[in-house]
């Protein structure tokens, strides 16, 4: 294990113990083996915005601006050189994406196949190799990081493709200056793991942005592991104007 990974693990653990109440390993959700692998790797609904179809990164920019450094390999995109942020910003959405932790297992806990999907650059659904890899349960795969452990652990083995289907409703400011909580509903490999859980206004630890906003970019975290993604699309959950 090299120094930056050790350091990042130490930072995560420090944040885990200070910025939010990390669940204990003993409270791990039960394991549920998902249905046998099926491929979603082609196609999206007719009204979807396709963010990655295996060909190019034109919908994305680098975390700190400029062209993204992620590599396109065999129709997938692999984390490299910092996080990835959509050029467009979104409010309430339905998101589909597929991801795979590295087949070669390195590290453990939060150091194994860590990435994350940050809605509005603020609220993270954790990406982590949680196959036989204990960690605090509100930090494992498909957790709303730091807030809500998944109902069950529906993880596939490292290297295998996994699906997230997520319905996100953003927290919204109210007229009296307070925040109306948003919500997450998450299916991991077709298994319900977050059942309409509330999203308070405060952003997840290590979020790109803070504060409540009507829109924000989707952000994929680079946490030092070469996690791969493919077939990413979303649908805006906004009233449609009749044509
Ligand atoms: Mg993460």
């Amino acid at each position: 294990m090299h120094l930056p990974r050790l350091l990042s693990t130490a930072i995560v653990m420090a944040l885990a113990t200070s910025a939010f109440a990390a669940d204990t390993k003993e409270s791990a959700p039960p394991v549920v083996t998902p249905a046998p692998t099926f491929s979603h790797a082609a196609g999206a609904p007719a009204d979807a915005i396709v963010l990655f179809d295996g060909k190019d990164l034109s919908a994305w920019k680098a975390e700190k601006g400029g062209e993204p450094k992620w590599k396109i390999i065999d129709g997938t995109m692999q984390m490299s050189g910092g996080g990835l942020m959509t050029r467009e910003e979104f409010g309430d959405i339905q998101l589909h994406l597929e991801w795979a932790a590295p087949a070669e297992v390195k590290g453990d806990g939060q150091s194994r196949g860590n990435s994350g999907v940050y809605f509005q650059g603020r609220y993270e659904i954790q990406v982590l190799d949680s196959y036989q890899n204990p960690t605090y349960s509100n930090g494992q795969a498909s957790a709303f990081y730091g807030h809500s452990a998944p109902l069950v652990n529906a993880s596939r083995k490292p290297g295998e493709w996994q699906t997230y289907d997520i319905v996100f409703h953003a927290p919204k400011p109210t007229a009296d200056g307070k925040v109306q909580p948003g919500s997450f509903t998450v299916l991991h490999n077709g298994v319900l793991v977050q059942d309409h859980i509330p999203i308070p206004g405060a952003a997840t630890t290590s979020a790109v942005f803070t504060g409540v906003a009507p829109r924000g970019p989707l952000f994929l975290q680079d946490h030092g592991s070469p996690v791969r993604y493919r077939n990413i699309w979303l649908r805006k959950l906004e009233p449609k104007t009749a044509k």
Side-chain angles (χ1 to χ4, degrees):
M1 185 178 284
H2 57 75
L3 189 58
R5 185 165 295 138
L6 268 176
L7 274 175
S8 69
T9 302
I11 290 167
V12 164
M13 292 311 293
L15 290 169
T17 52
S18 62
F20 69 91
D23 289 344
T24 61
K25 290 183 180 179
E26 288 68 32
S27 64
V31 171
V32 169
T33 303
T37 304
F38 52 90
S39 176
H40 288 287
D47 63 352
I49 294 172
V50 176
L51 295 175
F52 181 65
D53 64 359
K55 298 189 181 78
D56 66 76
L57 298 176
S58 57
W60 304 84
K61 58 185 176 182
E63 177 178 358
K64 298 191 181 347
E67 291 304 310
K69 307 268 191 312
W70 288 34
K71 302 168 189 165
I72 297 180
I73 303 169
D74 297 332
T76 75
M77 59 184 202
Q78 181 173 301
M79 183 194 296
S80 177
L84 204 58
M85 198 177 307
T86 56
R87 295 183 182 276
E88 188 173 351
E89 300 194 345
F90 306 101
D92 299 352
I93 57 172
Q94 171 192 348
L95 175 73
H96 172 87
L97 61 75
E98 300 169 28
W99 62 273
E104 183 187 354
V105 172
K106 284 186 180 172
D108 55 18
Q110 293 289 310
S111 298
R112 186 183 298 178
N114 195 334
S115 179
V117 186
Y118 285 70
F119 291 74
Q120 298 191 327
R122 289 172 171 82
Y123 316 107
E124 180 187 16
I125 296 297
Q126 173 72 309
V127 168
L128 191 75
D129 176 5
S130 286
Y131 185 85
Q132 299 178 354
N133 179 35
T135 186
Y136 45 94
S137 54
N138 59 357
Q140 70 181 64
S142 74
F144 173 21
Y145 188 86
H147 291 274
S148 176
L151 294 167
V152 296
N153 182 349
S155 296
R156 295 194 196 283
K157 295 175 182 174
E160 294 185 358
W161 285 99
Q162 314 203 38
T163 61
Y164 277 173
D165 289 281
I166 301 172
V167 178
F168 167 78
H169 288 279
K172 293 177 176 64
T174 57
D176 60 1
K178 295 191 173 133
V179 173
Q180 172 193 317
S183 65
F184 269 131
T185 299
V186 180
L187 286 90
H188 183 189
N189 296 324
V191 178
L192 182 67
V193 290
Q194 302 286 357
D195 187 5
H196 197 72
I197 56 147
I199 306 172
T204 306
T205 302
S206 74
V208 184
F209 303 112
T210 57
V212 173
R215 284 179 170 65
L218 194 72
F219 172 70
L220 300 178
Q221 181 190 42
D222 180 347
H223 207 292
S225 296
V227 174
R228 293 174 294 153
Y229 288 89
R230 70 180 185 188
N231 195 27
I232 308 175
W233 53 259
L234 60 79
R235 300 178 58 250
K236 294 182 181 178
L237 302 180
E238 295 168 355
K240 292 196 170 36
T241 307
K243 289 180 180 171

